[in-house]
Amino acid sequence: MKPFDSPMGLLHGVDAESAARLIAAASDVALLLDDKGVIRDLAFNDGALLPEAGARWLGRRWTEVVTVESRPKVEALLQDAASGESRRARHVNHPVQGGSDLPLLYSTVRIGHDGTVVALGRDLTALSMLQQRLVDAQQSIERDYARLRQLEARYRLLFQMTSEAVLVVDTVSQRIVEANAAANRMLGEDARSVVGRNFPEGLDDAGNQAVQGLFAAVRANGRSDDVRVRGPGGSDWLVAASLVRQDATSLYLVRLSQVGASGTESGERMSVADAVEMVPDAFVLTGEDGVILTANQAFVDLAQLASIEQARTQSLERWLGRPGVDFKVLMVNVRQHGSIRLFSTVLRGEHGSDVDVEVSAVAVDRGERPCIGFTVRGVSRRIEPEPRISREMPRSVEQLTGLVGRVSLKDLVRESTDLIEKLCIEAALDMTHDNRASAAEMLGLSRQSLYVKLRRYGIGDLNADQGDDGGQEPGEE
């Protein structure tokens, strides 16, 4: 904290240094103004708040060091102090070179009889960042809500249009929660009478036991083989079930199919196309060579395609990652380990937009045709847990190591060297309290070489150092 140099006479019997400490403790910024509104002295409770303000603000009018829209507020604060009235504090913004404006909440007090005014300011940076994060969170929630509404509409359409009879049954009461049109036709009832009924109902004892055993196996293992029962009309049914969770509730997704006269109808579970279509993240199924066999609507949206037909018979590499690099690394790891999780890359849309994504993949060797399943999740809408600050490094050590396999070793070494060099320069400047000459000596550089590196990495404000022409040492960059 920089105390005021001259007595201000705020309190009788209090020396100038104690009065300055009292004012600084009551505020983050304190300005001493004359009757013309010129800043004669200032103090900061936090030395890192505006380190350059001491040199730039002294001797200038208060209205000259604030943003244009804040000047009427400053004039109103000075008028309040001159009239001696105590009015509400006002939000004033100070421009900051190379960064966002500094928001301060000022109140003014007139002291003495010569028109001297003290302006006390509270830093609103944390509140401003919190408000921005709330706005970002609200926008993200609205986008996710719109996406969920679209997904729900797609699910409803798929649920009603499928030719297979599908029921949604509560696991506790075993009451039917939802039923599609095919289920209503199969059960011979309308939708109102089917929903709310118990399932199974109308089956013989053997059929009831078979369905209850199916439900028990699904609860225990999450899946089970289909069971064959005799329906109410005397026809044979195949009953398949799977367990789904919605919030804190568990539900059975039950599929019913009638066995034809030949008795050869398949008892397969819900088709892959129906299952992946309900997944909110993009899902792609490819052959071992990476050629797309099928994909869900979420992938079609991410890739900016009109339909899935545009993607079939095409390699996934066309949209995923940098051509010739990311996809090859991904396929090598899948072939070697059988699966890979959260591989960070980029998905390129047909119309030129890039989306940051995380990819998980698994190789399926069973069946007549081995294949690879990919889930692609967009991460561009994630909210930063903490607001970014101007001194944040462009890449952390974890991010640099995460580039292995995606960037050449030469480029990776150069990035690492730049990162270490910038960290060392910033550490030297912090240790010397931004004394460029001492920092250059500590680093074994001439001042001119240090200025070159400061400009290269965009560190600090070099306007005040342009006239300083410290000589470059032999052999330095």
Side-chain angles (χ1 to χ4, degrees):
M1 181 187 72
K2 173 183 177 299
F4 292 110
D5 297 326
S6 58
M8 295 181 293
L10 292 177
L11 298 171
H12 293 294
V14 179
D15 59 275
E17 184 176 356
S18 298
R21 284 199 299 267
L22 178 63
I23 294 174
S27 61
D28 296 312
V29 177
L31 306 178
L32 183 64
L33 311 166
D34 61 15
D35 56 348
K36 304 295 183 182
V38 177
I39 300 175
R40 296 304 180 188
D41 207 346
L42 72 165
F44 292 95
N45 200 7
D46 184 357
L49 195 60
L50 266 179
E52 75 278 9
R56 294 196 300 108
W57 291 11
L58 285 177
R60 299 178 64 184
R61 290 182 178 274
W62 190 11
T63 54
E64 296 177 357
V65 298
V66 300
T67 57
V68 175
E69 66 275 7
S70 296
R71 291 174 183 173
K73 300 178 183 179
V74 170
E75 294 173 354
L77 285 168
L78 292 175
Q79 291 176 1
D80 292 347
S83 63
E85 297 181 3
S86 177
R87 298 185 179 180
R88 63 183 179 86
R90 299 177 187 270
H91 180 178
V92 175
N93 292 322
H94 290 275
V96 179
Q97 293 183 355
S100 303
D101 295 340
L102 174 67
L104 294 172
L105 186 67
Y106 276 109
S107 58
T108 53
V109 179
R110 181 179 177 181
I111 59 175
H113 303 285
D114 57 352
T116 302
V117 175
V118 173
L120 305 176
R122 278 291 182 185
D123 184 15
L124 300 179
T125 302
L127 179 61
S128 177
M129 289 182 176
L130 179 59
Q131 291 174 339
Q132 184 60 46
R133 291 191 67 199
L134 289 175
V135 171
D136 293 341
Q138 180 64 29
Q139 292 177 345
S140 179
I141 290 172
E142 291 177 356
R143 288 193 297 267
D144 289 341
Y145 178 72
R147 187 176 181 85
L148 287 175
R149 289 293 300 271
Q150 295 174 0
L151 183 63
E152 182 182 5
R154 194 180 306 148
Y155 156 73
R156 292 288 180 186
L157 182 62
L158 177 66
F159 184 71
Q160 293 298 334
M161 289 185 63
T162 181
S163 59
E164 294 182 324
V166 180
L167 304 173
V168 179
V169 180
D170 185 78
T171 56
V172 178
S173 64
Q174 291 192 194
R175 292 184 179 275
I176 298 175
V177 178
E178 290 186 65
N180 67 350
N184 293 329
R185 290 192 300 267
M186 185 172 178
L187 296 175
E189 303 284 353
D190 57 33
R192 294 180 181 176
S193 61
V194 169
V195 174
R197 287 171 48 184
N198 290 331
F199 183 84
E201 187 176 273
L203 303 182
D204 55 20
D205 292 341
N208 282 324
Q209 292 178 5
V211 172
Q212 296 300 334
L214 171 67
F215 285 166
V218 169
R219 286 197 302 270
N221 306 317
R223 57 188 300 179
S224 178
D225 294 332
D226 303 348
V227 296
R228 183 167 179 167
V229 299
R230 180 63 58 90
S235 60
D236 287 343
W237 290 357
L238 282 174
V239 183
S242 59
L243 191 66
V244 295
R245 299 189 183 277
Q246 180 178 338
D247 297 330
T249 306
S250 297
L251 302 170
Y252 295 125
L253 191 63
V254 180
R255 181 174 62 86
L256 305 175
S257 58
Q258 280 187 331
V259 179
S262 62
T264 59
E265 184 172 330
S266 172
E268 295 177 346
R269 301 175 183 85
M270 180 179 293
S271 65
V272 174
D274 289 344
V276 300
E277 193 65 26
M278 298 168 61
V279 177
D281 294 326
F283 181 88
V284 184
L285 189 67
T286 73
E288 290 185 300
D289 54 357
V291 175
I292 295 176
L293 301 176
T294 187
N296 65 352
Q297 185 63 35
F299 176 79
V300 173
D301 295 339
L302 276 178
Q304 298 178 330
L305 301 174
S307 68
I308 187 56
E309 299 301 327
Q310 291 182 267
R312 287 194 176 102
T313 72
Q314 299 289 329
S315 175
L316 183 58
E317 186 179 8
R318 174 177 172 180
W319 296 279
L320 194 62
R322 295 183 305 159
V325 180
D326 292 6
F327 190 72
K328 289 183 179 179
V329 174
L330 184 61
M331 294 295 288
V332 167
N333 280 275
V334 171
R335 292 190 182 104
Q336 289 181 350
H337 306 291
S339 65
I340 188 171
R341 296 185 61 195
L342 304 180
F343 182 89
S344 298
T345 184
V346 174
L347 190 139
R348 306 182 306 277
E350 280 292 296
H351 302 305
S353 66
D354 292 345
V355 180
D356 293 331
V357 297
E358 290 178 347
V359 180
S360 297
V362 61
V364 181
D365 298 329
R366 293 175 294 177
E368 298 179 358
R369 186 176 182 181
C371 57
I372 300 175
F374 295 85
T375 58
V376 183
R377 173 174 296 175
V379 297
S380 57
R381 297 199 312 274
R382 290 183 179 173
I383 303 173
E384 294 286 337
E386 295 294 336
R388 295 180 180 269
I389 56 177
S390 59
R391 294 174 63 89
E392 180 178 295
M393 296 301 301
R395 282 194 174 96
S396 66
V397 175
E398 291 79 9
Q399 289 172 323
L400 285 173
T401 55
L403 293 176
V404 174
R406 300 169 55 191
V407 178
S408 67
L409 180 60
K410 180 179 179 181
D411 292 340
L412 190 58
V413 170
R414 183 173 64 252
E415 291 282 350
S416 303
T417 303
D418 292 345
L419 173 62
I420 295 171
E421 192 172 69
K422 184 176 181 181
L423 286 171
C424 292
I425 292 174
E426 288 185 336
L429 291 174
D430 289 338
M431 293 173 65
T432 60
H433 302 287
D434 208 30
N435 187 316
R436 309 294 171 81
S438 299
E441 182 178 359
M442 180 181 294
L443 295 170
L445 300 172
S446 67
R447 281 180 291 173
Q448 188 64 24
S449 296
L450 178 60
Y451 296 153
V452 170
K453 296 182 184 297
L454 292 178
R455 292 188 183 94
R456 176 182 177 185
Y457 299 122
I459 302 175
D461 179 15
L462 298 177
N463 291 333
D465 301 315
Q466 290 178 349
D468 194 341
D469 58 349
Q472 183 174 350
E473 295 296 334
E476 292 181 344
E477 298 179 358

